Amino acid sequence: TTGNDNIDDCVDCPIGKYSGNLGVTSCENCNTGYYSDERGLTAMTQCKICPVGRYSNSTGESTKIVACKRCPLGLYSDVLPTFTNPVLNDECKDCPKGRYGANTGLVAADTLTGAPTGTYCLACTPGKYLETTGSFSSSDCVNCRIGKYLPYTGAISRSECIQCPVGRYSDETGRKAKTKVDGKCSLMKKLNAS
């Protein structure tokens, strides 16, 4: 209103907004990738930043849940927004080949960054591979074929499956080792009794 004659007539900027200038008649929204759950902010730098693993597509938000949405299943984000470059939904990255994202809000493609358990894309188990990106379930991992095995995690191609050595065989898919340990490629030949 006009005719204010007391500083108490001025109103704090509402949550989700700030004002860094004197004599303004409205407040600015916190940028995309930021939010504020406090009133009376005097600078954009006081708005809180969305954490990694999240994206944003709106301004002037008052809660982290609304402003900072989790990257969907099969995707991750390891980037923080800046004042001029927010992390948008299409900037959440696909989990790489050999890995899948079973949780939302992932922050890393793998464990090499030291990300805590449950915050990175998981590797397919030994005996399995995954040739596509952006997968979100362990059921997307494909078993190595009969007569082959794969002793490590995170394989990205069927070509990584290794043939059972001479004198051994496997009549099941998804084998993890070439030795009989753990019931893998066996030295014994299966007899078909009829």
Side-chain angles (χ1 to χ4, degrees):
T1 61
T2 59
N4 295 330
D5 59 5
N6 188 323
I7 194 164
D8 292 334
D9 291 336
C10 297
V11 180
D12 284 344
C13 286
I15 56 179
K17 298 179 181 282
Y18 70 96
S19 175
N21 298 313
L22 296 174
V24 297
T25 58
S26 65
C27 300
E28 299 289 325
N29 286 335
C30 288
N31 287 4
T32 303
Y34 293 80
Y35 68 99
S36 171
D37 52 8
E38 299 175 37
R39 296 181 173 279
L41 299 186
T42 59
M44 173 58 204
T45 55
Q46 291 176 310
C47 296
K48 297 175 181 175
I49 191 169
C50 290
V52 293
R54 300 187 184 237
Y55 71 93
S56 185
N57 57 8
S58 58
T59 63
E61 298 298 348
S62 60
T63 64
K64 184 166 123 179
I65 285 184
V66 174
C68 313
K69 296 168 180 65
R70 292 173 168 269
C71 287
L73 294 174
L75 303 173
Y76 73 97
S77 175
D78 55 1
V79 178
L80 284 172
T82 65
F83 294 133
T84 57
N85 190 18
V87 177
L88 303 174
N89 182 32
D90 61 354
E91 294 178 276
C92 291
K93 304 169 193 170
D94 284 346
C95 285
K97 293 178 180 181
R99 297 183 164 274
Y100 60 95
N103 294 323
T104 60
L106 298 179
V107 302
D110 53 43
T111 58
L112 298 178
T113 62
T117 301
T119 65
Y120 52 84
C121 303
L122 299 171
C124 292
T125 57
K128 299 178 183 237
Y129 62 92
L130 182 58
E131 295 179 327
T132 58
T133 63
S135 295
F136 57 86
S137 173
S138 62
S139 64
D140 294 334
C141 298
V142 180
N143 284 331
C144 288
R145 293 182 174 174
I146 291 172
K148 297 190 175 206
Y149 70 98
L150 186 59
Y152 52 86
T153 65
I156 64 171
S157 171
R158 179 173 63 189
S159 65
E160 293 181 69
C161 297
I162 304 164
Q163 292 183 13
C164 287
V166 174
R168 294 183 181 268
Y169 81 101
S170 172
D171 60 358
E172 294 180 21
T173 62
R175 293 298 187 185
K176 301 174 187 174
K178 67 179 176 180
T179 64
K180 191 173 183 213
V181 176
D182 295 333
K184 304 309 173 211
C185 297
S186 175
L187 283 172
M188 298 176 57
K189 190 144 183 118
K190 191 174 188 178
L191 297 175
N192 289 328
S194 11

